């Protein structure tokens, strides 16, 4: 890929787990990648001191001003954002009877409203450019549900309605919005599950193993590539069969 064809890619929560695998895949293909982080910088940014085609910017997706500032930094370094991956996500599992309103709203704020904030900010530039690719990272829990995850499943299901509505708003423009729904994937998030939760999830996963962040990155890079322009408002499972059509 030449400098002229390299795209400006923005990945939220790109300092670890699935987001970092996605960011690495784009960077390896020659794209200019901005990742957001809150706590620790991703290793790539530390090694390169934010030089070259990998930029890390601090951003909490629950704060619109931080989102706007992060986009300004990405645009200044890499040009208008042409590919957005709304990946930042968090869980706060608790059975409904014990869930506080804060448990619920904070998970919605990060997973669903966070995606709204970054998508809205990105779409403005994409409309000007007449081109764009958006991928929202959902979860098998969105369509299947999961005990203890009424907050998380509602947020992740919300992303599906969001992507389908945005797809209709965008109409024939060359801007797509799709959803990737991973199943249990080997990251800090899945490592936080209890052994019982993990066993149960594996029992209902025909592939009989966890997915890897790289397998999720494969689906994301395909959806943002030149051969995916006619895929719109789709939900692509990367779940070893756990969702089975849900
Ligand atoms: P991790 O817990 O490893 O990473 C979560 C990422 O989201 C981190 O980069 C984290 O940043 C970021 N993040 C969390 N809250 C915020 C916030 N308020 N603002 C900005 N960034 C935030 O999770 P995964 O890599 O596993 O998850 C990535 C996505 O995939 C999430 O949307 C998750 O819901 C989804 N997913 C994961 C599955 C799994 O089994 N792992 C299964 C299905 C879906 P920080 O380091 O600063 O906390």
């Amino acid at each position: 890929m030449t400098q002229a064809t390299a795209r400006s890619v923005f990945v939220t929560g790109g300092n670890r787990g699935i987001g970092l695998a996605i960011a690495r895949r784009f960077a390896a293909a020659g794209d200019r990648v901005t990742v957001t982080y809150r706590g620790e910088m991703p290793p790539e940014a530390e090694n390169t001191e934010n030089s070259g085609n990998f930029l890390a910017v601090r951003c909490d997706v629950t704060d619109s001003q931080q989102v706007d500032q992060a986009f300004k930094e990405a645009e200044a370094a890499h040009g208008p954002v042409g590919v957005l991956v709304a990946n930042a996500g968090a869980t706060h599992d608790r059975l409904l009877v014990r869930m506080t309103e804060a448990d619920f709203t904070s998970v919605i704020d990060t997973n669903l409203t966070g995606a709204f904030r970054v998508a809205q900010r990105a779409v403005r530039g994409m409309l000007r450019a007449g081109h764009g690719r958006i991928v929202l990272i959902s979860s098998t829990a969105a369509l299947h549900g999961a005990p203890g995850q009424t907050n998380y499943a509602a947020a992740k299901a919300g992303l599906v309605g969001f992507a389908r509505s945005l797809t209709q708003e965008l109409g024939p423009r060359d801007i797509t919005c799709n959803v990737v729904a991973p199943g249990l994937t080997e990251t800090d998030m899945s490592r936080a599950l209890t052994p019982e939760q993990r066993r149960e999830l594996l029992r209902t996963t025909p592939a009989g193993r966890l997915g890897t962040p790289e397998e999720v990155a494969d689906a994301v890079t395909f959806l943002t590539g030149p051969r995916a322009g006619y895929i719109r408002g789709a939900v692509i499972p990367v779940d070893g069969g756990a969702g089975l059509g849900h």
Side-chain angles (χ1 to χ4, degrees):
M1 192 174 293
T2 64
Q3 272 306 100
T5 53
R7 301 168 303 173
S8 173
V9 178
F10 193 97
V11 183
T12 63
N15 53 323
R16 58 194 172 99
I18 292 171
L20 180 58
I22 293 169
R24 281 182 171 148
R25 192 58 61 81
F26 281 115
D31 287 316
R32 296 178 294 239
V33 182
T34 303
V35 297
T36 71
Y37 71 100
R38 290 180 310 168
E40 290 182 21
M41 289 240 281
E44 274 78 355
E46 281 177 351
N47 293 340
T48 58
E49 292 175 347
N50 278 344
S51 64
N53 65 354
F54 199 95
L55 173 74
V57 295
R58 196 178 285 278
C59 170
D60 187 325
V61 297
T62 64
D63 182 326
S64 305
Q65 285 186 344
Q66 289 189 36
V67 167
D68 186 51
Q69 183 56 32
F71 270 83
K72 283 183 176 145
E73 289 176 42
E75 288 158 355
H78 295 156
V81 171
V83 178
L84 167 70
V85 184
N87 163 80
T91 51
H92 203 138
D93 295 359
R94 209 161 268 187
L95 294 176
L96 181 67
V97 288
R98 299 209 188 103
M99 190 173 284
T100 65
E101 190 168 328
D103 293 333
F104 193 87
T105 55
S106 67
V107 168
I108 298 284
D109 201 15
T110 300
N111 293 276
L112 179 57
T113 319
F116 154 77
R117 291 185 186 95
V118 292
Q120 189 185 52
R121 181 60 177 75
V123 160
R124 291 191 194 120
M126 290 174 180
L127 286 171
R128 272 194 297 275
H131 178 82
R133 295 283 180 264
I134 300 172
V135 178
L136 312 177
I137 305 298
S138 176
S139 165
T140 315
L143 308 168
H144 211 264
Q149 293 197 323
T150 51
N151 50 1
Y152 181 74
K156 294 302 197 185
L159 293 176
V160 176
F162 181 96
R164 290 180 173 165
S165 301
L166 180 56
T167 296
Q168 293 184 45
E169 287 185 21
L170 292 168
R173 295 178 183 86
D174 184 26
I175 307 174
T176 70
C177 180
N178 290 292
V179 172
V180 167
L184 194 59
T185 309
E186 193 64 75
T187 67
D188 294 341
M189 188 176 276
S190 54
R191 281 188 278 274
L193 295 172
T194 64
E196 295 73 40
Q197 283 174 313
R198 221 176 142 97
R199 250 197 313 277
E200 179 55 19
L201 284 166
L202 278 178
R203 194 185 62 75
T204 54
T205 301
R209 64 169 177 85
L210 276 72
T212 65
E214 290 71 26
E215 286 171 319
V216 180
D218 285 338
V220 171
T221 46
F222 177 75
L223 285 172
T224 62
R227 289 188 294 278
Y230 202 56
I231 303 177
R232 291 164 183 242
V235 182
I236 308 293
V238 184
D239 62 4
L244 284 183
H246 280 277

